[in-house]
């Protein structure tokens, strides 16, 4: 039975975290890892206000082969990054233990990951790999997504559950909207951008653990 683990790791403990540690960046969300040949090229989002300085900074990193904009929206930009992952022990461990990256959000100090492993043995293998590589893992939660007693939250973290519940209660999804993300941010005590990202990740989790999972069983 597959198992999902949520954990934190210092940005300085793995290569990609060090590459993306750019002054002025408040948060980065890893969107996906796209396999190209033997490499895994990440796609990730940053705020538009810092995209030019961000691009210039990471292109100077010796481990980076290339970086480019993929999509530009009003408030954020999607980037692709081709980097030498040979020394990134974190992603090496994910691959060796057959882990699947579900989500990753980073700041200059810390990254939060959600990974799916084939079973608990694979998760143990991954944690041993990180320990040997001197990567500090702070485990937040471990659960079986298909286990009846795993809880009714469908993969939502406590913060995601709080945000999406408040959004429904305040009428954010009503037509017309009963509130704005700014009003939600004020209630939660976080930034407007953080609310938007938290709601987006919550919706992705709900779909993954309900509709997508149900279809895979059919």
């Amino acid at each position: 039975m597959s198992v999902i683990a949520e954990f934190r790791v210092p940005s300085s403990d793995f290569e990609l975290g060090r590459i993306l540690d750019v002054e002025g960046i408040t948060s980065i969300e890893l969107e996906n890892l796209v396999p190209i040949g033997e490499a895994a090229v990440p796609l990730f989002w940053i705020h538009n206000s810092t995209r030019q300085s961000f691009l210039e900074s990471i292109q100077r990193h010796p481990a980076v082969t290339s970086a480019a904009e993929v999509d530009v929206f009003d408030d954020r930009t999607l980037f692709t990054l081709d980097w030498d992952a040979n020394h990134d022990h974190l992603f090496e461990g994910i691959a060796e233990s057959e882990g699947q990256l579900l989500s990753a959000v980073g700041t200059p100090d810390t990254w939060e990951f959600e990974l799916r492993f084939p079973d608990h043995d694979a998760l143990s293998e991954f944690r041993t790999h990180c320990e040997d590589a001197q990567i500090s893992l702070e485990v937040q939660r471990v659960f079986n997504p298909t286990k009846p007693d795993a809880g009714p939250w469908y993969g939502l973290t406590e913060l995601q559950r709080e945000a999406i519940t408040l959004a429904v209660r305040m009428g954010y999804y009503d037509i017309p909207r009963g509130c704005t993300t700014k009003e939600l941010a004020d209630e939660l005590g976080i930034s407007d951008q953080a609310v938007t990202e938290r709601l987006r990740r919550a919706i992705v989790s709900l779909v993954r653990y309900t509709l997508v999972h149900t279809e895979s069983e059919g």
Side-chain angles (χ1 to χ4, degrees):
M1 179 179 292
S2 68
V3 59
I4 290 179
E6 297 172 357
F7 62 90
R8 292 177 182 167
V9 59
S11 301
S12 59
D13 277 14
F14 65 107
E15 186 69 18
L16 187 60
R18 293 189 289 270
I19 292 173
L20 299 179
D21 182 8
V22 178
E23 184 177 355
I25 297 296
T26 56
S27 66
I28 299 171
E29 181 178 4
L30 196 62
E31 179 71 12
N32 208 341
L33 284 175
V34 181
I36 298 179
E38 298 181 355
V41 177
L43 295 170
F44 53 90
W45 296 97
I46 67 162
H47 300 296
N48 274 350
S49 59
T50 54
R51 78 171 190 261
Q52 190 56 43
S53 60
F54 176 81
L55 187 60
E56 293 172 355
S57 178
I58 61 175
Q59 285 177 330
R60 290 195 297 267
H61 196 285
V64 173
T65 302
S66 63
E69 297 176 356
V70 177
D71 280 312
V72 180
F73 297 91
D74 291 339
D75 61 340
R76 56 185 179 152
T77 299
L78 181 65
F79 281 91
T80 182
L81 173 68
D82 186 0
W83 99 109
D84 182 1
N86 291 330
H87 302 295
D88 198 316
H89 298 296
L90 179 68
F91 286 93
E92 179 185 47
I94 294 173
E96 289 182 354
S97 55
E98 299 182 5
Q100 178 186 5
L101 182 67
L102 301 180
S103 69
V105 180
T107 69
D109 299 319
T110 307
W111 278 74
E112 296 185 356
F113 288 88
E114 183 181 28
L115 296 175
R116 182 196 300 269
F117 296 93
D119 49 41
H120 280 276
D121 288 342
L123 172 58
S124 296
E125 177 186 335
F126 170 71
R127 295 179 66 176
T128 299
H129 172 92
C130 289
E131 183 178 345
D132 292 342
Q134 298 185 328
I135 298 172
S136 301
L137 295 183
E138 181 184 345
V139 179
Q140 305 296 303
R141 187 165 67 129
V142 176
F143 63 98
N144 296 105
T146 58
K147 196 173 181 179
D149 60 355
W153 307 122
Y154 303 106
L156 294 178
T157 65
E158 182 178 350
L159 294 178
Q160 290 169 1
R161 189 165 69 248
E162 177 189 29
I164 200 166
T165 299
L166 181 64
V168 171
R169 287 176 178 170
M170 293 181 62
Y172 178 72
Y173 294 106
D174 294 350
I175 300 175
R177 290 194 191 278
C179 68
T180 65
T181 52
K182 175 71 166 59
E183 291 170 320
L184 289 173
D186 291 342
E187 287 287 331
L188 295 169
I190 58 179
S191 70
D192 189 358
Q193 177 69 19
V195 167
T196 301
E197 295 300 332
R198 195 169 293 178
L199 290 176
R200 192 176 74 84
R201 291 195 297 272
I203 291 171
V204 169
S205 292
L206 285 173
V207 171
R208 179 182 294 127
Y209 288 99
T210 54
L211 299 179
V212 174
H213 177 66
T214 301
E215 289 174 0
S216 67
E217 292 183 330

